[in-house]
């Protein structure tokens, strides 16, 4: 048994045989006669174009697997393959130094990679690997060399290599890829990012793994490898004890995940029989499937900013409609709650003239933009009403302070409906509601709750606006816990006002995904919680382990507590007790 | 030929994803556009070149000069300048 320590790059524990994958043989460069230069430059351009097309094809495949962010890696590589700067440098070498296209493109890519490494920036240095990867791909197209060398992954195994180019990582057959262990690379390299996206355990930067494996293999050992992608531990020929330890770790993970999936269909009911609805917060349509598998009973918060950011003009109604319909269909028959655009001066958008603001979180943000730019919101509401033809949905406005903001929301919605009716476009029912994230919206809830059908507490901003603390300010850590007694009192006011008006109330802040806070909210009278999909299993178990009457008594005392930590210990104690019995 | 100075915002620096957004903002314009990192000793680089952009060493908070030259230089510099001023950072999704 031998140990090699690397860096954990993608969590998970696995044990099995291994296969060494070597980088594709780098084609040998050569020299050409001066009169052949023009033809050689042409050959280079065709190969670069072919490499660009291949990379776009890989990007398309990764995207189709549901990994849009990772697909962007290959689109960037395609852009490098087609970069005139790379071409110009390589063509220069062909024309002036008499190198052939293979030698020239390798040298040009090497020169750019060296420049990136010299920038003293870990992320950009990791991108140097992309540039070399692209250069070798073009060189292989020029020389007709296959893309992977060494053994092929023809049986389930852990892949070991010095480094794995992202294009190889993305194209390894995933059903046979047990894990990845690399001598080089870094946790920020694309190979690691891809491994995390695909849920494959990976250890990188182990330095000495290939050499140790070779030495061991020469003595007839190194039959098996065990890797822990969380801690970075690699064990060659693990002994009985080590095997048992890794197997137990892998088994724990499998059990946890299958338990989560199995329990997903169980209702979140307290021991004394009160059910809490558990919903998911999502930021893109891609997150729907995992949330559905983990038992989300709908979407309590669908953030729509992904449609609006990183572009120079607003998304069209049709583009929004497609995104909303996709989520509505994934969750049917459960309801989806769409949040209207929530942006402000902290993250200005080219097509929104917000201007410089000293305090963007207290400035013209979200619904407040509709005063000067109603069309942006009318278009979004039109897309919502049209998506509702595929299944009912709810729409809520962020950044509502008082009844005046609700009047604005209702008038925008009316305009959207009237326009669609006049154009004879099909639409469906939309429930209108508000986010409660500004304390005033709760304090004057009675003045407008009857005009809407639901409200949802955005506890992150509610905390920030109540205690006047910027969430991003690390020096104000003490105020970061949403279980602050002031927030609890505001939630209680919201519960009371919503009961008087007969409207639904839910919580969609991070508080809902924190087991101790989630049961505390139940103790305050909240019956609907929306959270990141990954938080659903733990919150479900927490709710099923406690009695509502215990939560209510604990909450009565908690409302008198002097600090969030005092409140937290009460509910953590209840959960600990629930877990024991 | 016109120029515009902006401050670059992206906590990860000018990485490939940001570079793709910069390229995208210039799609359809014919003007020659370059970016120059005004912090330290740098030469202008082609704003359409992936490699030039990611090796430009531009980091968040750096002042950057955009130079555009061509028939549609005003529109091109507007498109890229607005993108850079608004920040190409990943959206920090808030609740």
């Amino acid at each position: 048994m031998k140990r090699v320590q690397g860096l954990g790059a993608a969590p998970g524990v696995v044990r099995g045989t291994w296969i060494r994958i070597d980088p594709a043989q780098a084609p040998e460069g050569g020299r050409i006669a001066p009169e052949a230069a023009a033809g050689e430059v042409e050959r280079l351009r065709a190969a670069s174009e072919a490499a660009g097309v291949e990379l776009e094809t890989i990007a398309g495949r990764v995207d189709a697997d549901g990994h849009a962010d990772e697909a962007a890696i290959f689109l960037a590589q395609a852009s490098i393959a087609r970069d005139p700067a790379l071409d110009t440098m390589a063509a220069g070498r062909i024309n002036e130094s008499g190198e052939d296209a293979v030698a020239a493109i390798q040298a040009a890519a090497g020169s750019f990679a060296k420049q990136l490494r010299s920038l003293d920036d870990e992320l950009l240095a990791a991108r140097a690997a992309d540039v070399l990867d692209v250069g070798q791909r073009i060189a292989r197209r020029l020389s007709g060399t296959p893309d992977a060398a060494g053994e092929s992954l023809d049986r389930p195994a852990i892949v070991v290599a010095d480094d794995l180019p992202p294009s190889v990582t993305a194209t390894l057959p995933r059903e046979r890829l047990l894990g990845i262990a690399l001598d080089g690379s870094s946790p920020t390299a694309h190979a690691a990012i891809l491994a995390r996206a695909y849920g494959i355990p990976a250890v990188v930067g182990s330095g000495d793994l290939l050499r140790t494996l070779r030495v061991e293999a020469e003595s007839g050992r190194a039959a098996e490898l065990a890797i822990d992608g969380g801690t970075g531990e690699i064990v060659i020929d693990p002994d009985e004890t080590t095997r048992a330890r890794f197997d137990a770790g892998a088994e724990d993970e499998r059990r946890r995940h299958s338990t989560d999936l199995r329990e997903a269909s169980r209702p979140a009911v307290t021991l004394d029989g009160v059910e809490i609805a558990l919903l998911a917060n999502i930021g893109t349509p891609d997150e729907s499937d995992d949330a559905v598998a983990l038992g989300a009973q709908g979407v309590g918060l669908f953030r729509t900013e992904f449609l609006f950011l990183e572009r120079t003009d607003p998304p069209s109604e049709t583009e929004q409609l497609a995104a909303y319909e996709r989520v509505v269909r994934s969750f049917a028959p459960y309801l989806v709650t769409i949040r209207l655009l929530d942006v402000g001066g902290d993250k200005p958008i080219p097509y929104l003239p917000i201007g410089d603001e000293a305090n963007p979180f207290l400035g013209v943000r979200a619904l407040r933009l509709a005063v000067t730019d109603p069309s942006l919101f009318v278009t979004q509401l039109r897309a919502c009403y049209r998506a509702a033809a595929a299944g009912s949905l709810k729409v809520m406005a962020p950044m509502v302070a008082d009844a005046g903001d609700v009047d604005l929301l209702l008038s925008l919605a009316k305009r959207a409906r009237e326009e669609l009716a006049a154009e004879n476009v099909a639409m469906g029912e939309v429930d209108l509601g508000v986010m409660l994230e500004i304390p005033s919206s709760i304090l004057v809830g009675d003045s407008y709750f009857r005009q809407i059908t639901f409200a949802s507490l955005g506890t992150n901003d509610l905390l920030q606006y109540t205690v006047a603390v910027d969430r991003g300010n690390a020096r104000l850590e003490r105020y970061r816990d949403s279980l602050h007694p002031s927030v609890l009192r505001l939630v209680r006011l919201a519960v009371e006002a919503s009961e008087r008006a007969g409207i639904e109330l839910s919580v969609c802040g991070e508080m809902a995904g924190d087991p101790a806070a989630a049961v505390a909210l139940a103790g305050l009278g909240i019956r609907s919680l929306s959270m990141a999909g990954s938080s659903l299993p733990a919150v479900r178990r927490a709710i099923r382990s406690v009695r509502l009457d215990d939560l209510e008594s604990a909450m009565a005392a908690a409302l008198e507590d002097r600090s969030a930590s005092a409140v937290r210990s009460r509910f953590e104690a209840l959960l600990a007790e629930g877990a024991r019995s | 030929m016109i120029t515009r100075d902006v401050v670059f915002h992206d906590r990860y620096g000018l990485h490939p994803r940001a570079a793709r957004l910069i390229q995208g903002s210039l799609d359809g314009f014919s003007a020659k556009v370059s970016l120059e990192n005004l912090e330290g000793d740098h030469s202008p680089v082609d704003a359409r070149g992936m490699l030039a952009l990611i090796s430009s060493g531009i980091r968040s908070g750096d002042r950057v000069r955009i130079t555009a030259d061509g028939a549609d230089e005003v529109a091109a510099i507007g498109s890229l300048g607005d993108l850079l001023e608004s920040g190409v950072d990943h959206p920090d999704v808030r609740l």
Side-chain angles (χ1 to χ4, degrees):
Chain A
M1 185 169 79
K2 281 253 158 41
R3 269 172 218 282
V4 179
Q5 186 64 41
L7 304 167
V13 179
V14 71
R15 183 167 73 81
T17 56
W18 53 277
I19 285 177
R20 174 172 175 160
I21 298 215
D22 290 316
Q25 202 65 41
E28 284 281 327
R31 303 194 59 80
I32 50 155
E35 59 275 18
E40 195 65 3
V41 169
E42 275 314 302
R43 234 163 58 77
L44 170 68
R45 299 220 160 118
S48 302
E49 176 56 28
V53 171
E54 279 173 14
L55 287 161
E56 277 160 3
T57 311
I58 297 177
R61 186 182 331 155
V62 175
D63 193 24
D65 283 346
H67 302 291
D69 282 351
E70 290 71 24
I73 296 167
F74 299 106
L75 291 176
Q77 283 204 357
S79 183
I80 293 172
R82 297 204 167 102
D83 194 319
L86 189 63
D87 180 77
T88 306
M89 187 186 284
R93 298 185 75 100
I94 294 172
N95 287 321
E96 285 144 36
S97 322
E99 291 178 356
D100 72 356
V102 169
I105 193 70
Q106 287 169 334
S111 153
F112 279 108
K114 193 172 156 208
Q115 207 176 327
L116 283 171
R117 283 201 207 93
S118 73
L119 289 174
D120 193 25
D121 175 314
E122 192 207 350
L123 281 168
L124 287 178
R127 298 300 88 88
D130 289 283
V131 178
L132 293 173
D133 193 15
V134 171
Q136 291 301 352
R137 177 175 292 273
I138 297 171
R140 290 194 300 272
R141 289 300 78 78
L142 283 162
S143 62
T145 314
D147 276 338
E151 292 178 83
S152 65
L153 191 55
D154 53 4
R155 58 179 195 274
I158 295 168
V159 163
V160 304
D162 178 34
D163 195 357
L164 275 186
S167 53
V168 175
T169 314
T171 47
L172 285 169
R174 251 185 293 158
E175 66 283 4
R176 297 196 286 274
L177 181 58
L178 299 181
I180 296 173
L182 305 178
D183 261 354
S185 197
S186 77
T188 53
H190 287 321
I193 294 171
L194 284 163
R196 285 196 290 273
Y198 288 137
I200 292 163
V203 176
V204 301
S206 51
D208 207 25
L209 177 63
L210 291 178
R211 195 192 59 82
T212 316
L213 279 175
R214 194 172 56 242
V215 172
E216 292 294 295
E218 276 164 9
S219 323
R221 291 186 292 266
E224 194 184 84
L225 213 56
I227 67 170
D228 183 332
T231 63
E233 182 183 9
I234 302 174
V235 185
I236 303 166
D237 293 325
D239 61 16
E240 277 303 306
T241 328
T242 312
R243 283 180 174 200
R245 179 163 60 82
F246 272 80
D247 289 352
E251 183 53 31
D252 273 356
E253 259 171 47
R254 253 196 309 278
R255 203 177 303 135
R256 204 174 311 131
H257 189 65
S258 73
T259 307
D260 288 351
L261 290 177
R262 197 175 54 247
E263 290 181 356
S265 56
R266 293 191 189 168
V269 181
T270 60
L271 293 172
D272 45 354
V274 177
E275 178 161 6
I276 311 291
L278 300 187
L279 292 81
N281 295 345
I282 62 171
T284 63
D286 287 347
E287 295 165 39
S288 303
D289 294 346
D290 285 344
V292 170
L294 288 169
Q297 297 165 283
V299 174
L301 168 65
F302 179 13
R303 304 181 183 96
T304 52
E305 289 69 42
F306 77 99
L307 286 163
F308 292 85
L309 296 172
E310 301 189 1
R311 54 194 297 160
T312 48
D313 48 357
S316 69
E317 182 177 319
T318 333
E319 191 183 333
Q320 295 187 49
L321 175 61
Y324 304 158
E325 271 184 340
R326 191 174 143 202
V327 176
V328 167
R329 293 218 171 89
S330 305
F331 279 91
Y334 294 118
L335 293 188
V336 171
T337 309
I338 293 176
R339 180 179 68 185
L340 295 178
L341 178 61
D342 186 9
V343 292
D346 57 312
K347 187 72 58 185
I349 289 186
Y351 48 87
L352 283 182
I354 298 178
D356 277 344
E357 292 182 331
N359 288 305
F361 280 93
L362 306 177
V364 182
R365 66 178 306 121
L367 191 67
R368 295 171 178 183
L369 286 163
V371 176
T372 50
D373 203 347
S375 64
L376 189 71
F377 290 88
V378 171
T379 305
Q380 190 173 21
L381 281 157
R382 284 174 55 114
C384 292
Y385 276 104
R386 291 178 63 186
S392 302
L393 57 82
K394 298 156 90 167
V395 170
M396 62 184 176
M399 212 59 194
V400 165
D402 58 19
D405 292 331
V406 173
D407 293 342
L408 174 62
L409 167 69
L410 297 179
S411 75
L412 293 166
K414 182 160 173 271
R415 192 171 134 194
R417 277 196 312 273
E418 286 172 355
E419 284 181 13
L420 290 170
E423 295 162 27
N424 260 327
V425 177
M427 57 179 149
E429 286 290 317
V430 170
D431 284 343
L432 293 171
V434 301
M435 292 275 291
L436 300 176
E437 50 190 349
I438 305 177
S440 65
S441 66
I442 296 173
L443 296 171
V444 299
D446 284 328
S447 70
Y448 66 86
F449 272 12
R450 284 175 209 283
Q451 292 173 270
I452 53 179
T453 59
F454 73 99
S456 185
L457 286 149
T459 48
N460 305 356
D461 277 340
L462 184 60
L463 173 69
Q464 143 162 309
Y465 289 132
T466 302
V467 297
V469 163
D470 180 345
R471 290 206 314 244
N473 192 328
R475 292 165 65 188
L476 300 172
E477 188 64 40
R478 175 168 100 67
Y479 303 92
R480 296 272 278 280
D481 191 336
S482 304
L483 282 173
H484 197 278
S486 63
V487 173
L488 301 183
R489 289 175 188 226
L490 282 165
V491 173
R492 185 175 60 167
L493 290 177
V495 169
E496 291 165 358
S498 65
E499 281 170 359
R500 280 194 293 277
I503 67 168
E504 264 181 68
L505 180 68
S506 60
V507 173
C508 65
E510 274 163 28
M511 213 178 163
D514 162 1
V519 296
L521 288 167
L524 274 167
I526 296 290
R527 296 292 176 265
S528 173
L529 299 169
S530 189
M531 65 203 76
S534 55
S535 302
L536 288 163
V539 170
R540 182 187 317 278
R541 282 194 279 273
I543 289 169
R544 292 175 62 89
S545 73
V546 289
R547 295 182 56 87
L548 186 70
D549 46 21
D550 290 342
L551 297 175
E552 286 171 347
S553 340
M555 183 48 73
L559 284 162
E560 307 301 324
D561 275 336
R562 296 181 67 243
S563 70
S565 56
V567 177
R568 181 164 291 278
S569 9
R570 285 182 194 280
F571 290 94
E572 280 177 352
L574 275 180
L575 288 182
E577 204 177 297
R580 270 197 304 275
S581 51
Chain B
M1 189 179 79
I2 52 173
T3 66
R4 174 167 162 189
D5 289 359
V6 297
V7 175
F8 181 81
H9 291 290
D10 186 313
R11 76 195 116 130
Y12 298 118
L14 211 173
H15 51 87
R17 202 186 49 80
R20 287 191 56 238
L21 291 171
I22 290 172
Q23 294 174 326
S25 77
L26 296 173
D27 273 355
F29 297 113
S30 61
K32 265 179 68 88
V33 185
S34 65
L35 279 185
E36 182 182 359
N37 187 353
L38 297 176
E39 318 286 332
D41 184 21
H42 298 277
S43 329
V45 299
D46 177 7
R48 290 189 177 83
M50 171 62 74
L51 288 163
L53 288 171
I54 61 179
S55 52
S56 64
I58 294 174
R59 290 161 202 251
S60 196
D62 286 354
R63 278 179 315 120
V64 172
R65 174 161 300 157
I66 314 170
T67 305
D69 189 7
D72 54 4
E73 59 190 28
V74 175
I77 213 168
S79 174
L80 175 56
D82 290 351
L83 171 75
L84 293 182
E85 270 178 0
S86 74
V88 290
D89 209 341
H90 256 306
D92 246 343
V93 184
R94 31 166 252 125
L95 260 175

